[in-house]
Amino acid sequence: MENKFYVLPKLPYEYGALAPYMSEEQLRIHHSKHHQAYVNGANAILQRLDKARKEDAEIDIKSSLKELSWNIGGHLLHSLFWENLAPPGKGGGKPGGVLGDVIEKEFGSFERFKKEFTQAAISVEGSGWAALTYCKQTQRPIIMQIEKHNTNVYPMFRILMVLDVFEHAYYIDYKNDRAKFVEAFWNIVNWDEVNKRIEELLK
Ligand code: MN
């Protein structure tokens, strides 16, 4: 069987569908250039590893794995990100279902969760992500502040929702104003999808 590689997923909506919170130009570049670059990067390293193994050649394992983690992390997080966004009207508002209950139990209110998640996103040092995760051991939703694509990650926690705060995610629409982008994000969160992720996890 042939070795498989990563593939850029199609968006579940048009490039212009998230406007005015995320413009067509911003989303097109983010998806077709930045996300694509992580897919290409991960595949290039896998190919390099394949080749070295076939020829039994030397390869710098440490730097290869570091680069692989960066690129696979980028690919997987972006894939989750696109799916947890939805056009305004369909997205935004408040979560219901199991997710709404879990958030309320842990944070006291949706507003409190929103505040903490917003602060997590705004305060990521350098480039990174804010993520809502779920810990099955404690049955708590826990916010994870990821630096780059792969630092501060809790192993085994299911990621329910992510927000990309790399500057490449918002510079066209918001220049350097990350806080304004994070505020806009709440209008296009696909709560149905995020709720689906926790329901699948708890099944
Ligand atoms: Mn990105």
Side-chain angles (χ1 to χ4, degrees):
M1 208 170 83
E2 287 229 350
N3 284 336
K4 289 181 89 169
F5 292 95
Y6 294 103
V7 179
L8 183 72
K10 282 200 166 54
L11 293 181
Y13 36 73
E14 300 293 317
Y15 281 126
L18 305 180
Y21 303 106
M22 197 182 284
S23 70
E24 178 173 352
E25 188 190 8
Q26 179 72 74
L27 182 55
R28 185 187 298 276
I29 289 178
H30 195 176
H31 175 257
S32 70
K33 302 292 182 192
H34 292 282
H35 187 170
Q36 182 73 63
Y38 299 125
V39 170
N40 295 347
N43 290 340
I45 300 154
L46 292 177
Q47 279 167 337
R48 219 156 67 205
L49 287 164
D50 286 348
K51 188 165 176 281
R53 287 164 188 164
K54 212 168 145 193
E55 298 165 356
D56 197 19
E58 289 298 320
I59 190 163
D60 185 339
I61 290 293
K62 183 181 177 185
S63 75
S64 297
L65 295 183
K66 194 168 178 181
E67 216 183 313
L68 193 60
S69 169
W70 159 262
N71 283 289
I72 293 179
H75 167 53
L76 296 179
L77 287 167
H78 282 92
S79 302
L80 284 169
F81 186 44
W82 309 134
E83 296 285 336
N84 69 226
L85 298 178
K90 185 172 182 278
K94 285 181 179 190
V98 181
L99 181 71
D101 295 344
V102 163
I103 284 177
E104 198 143 309
K105 179 165 183 275
E106 176 71 15
F107 296 93
S109 65
F110 173 69
E111 285 66 32
R112 174 72 199 189
F113 159 71
K114 189 175 163 184
K115 195 172 148 185
E116 287 189 24
F117 192 90
T118 295
Q119 284 171 355
I122 290 173
S123 66
V124 174
E125 212 169 280
S127 295
W129 298 74
L132 176 64
T133 70
Y134 190 79
C135 170
K136 283 188 107 169
Q137 288 186 12
T138 58
Q139 299 171 354
R140 285 170 179 265
I142 294 182
I143 295 171
M144 175 162 80
Q145 189 186 57
I146 306 171
E147 290 173 10
K148 296 184 277 185
H149 294 138
N150 44 10
T151 302
N152 298 346
V153 172
Y154 309 125
M156 307 295 289
F157 282 20
R158 174 70 193 259
I159 298 177
L160 304 174
M161 173 175 91
V162 288
L163 169 57
D164 186 347
V165 290
F166 273 60
E167 213 168 61
H168 73 219
Y170 57 85
Y171 67 103
I172 292 170
D173 291 341
Y174 302 98
K175 302 222 166 47
N176 61 334
D177 197 343
R178 185 189 280 180
K180 212 169 155 193
F181 169 59
V182 173
E183 191 52 45
F185 163 75
W186 297 107
N187 296 291
I188 47 172
V189 180
N190 185 347
W191 290 118
D192 289 344
E193 172 63 24
V194 184
N195 187 50
K196 210 176 82 194
R197 289 176 186 169
I198 195 169
E199 278 182 357
E200 275 169 14
L201 182 71
L202 298 178
K203 243 193 293 200

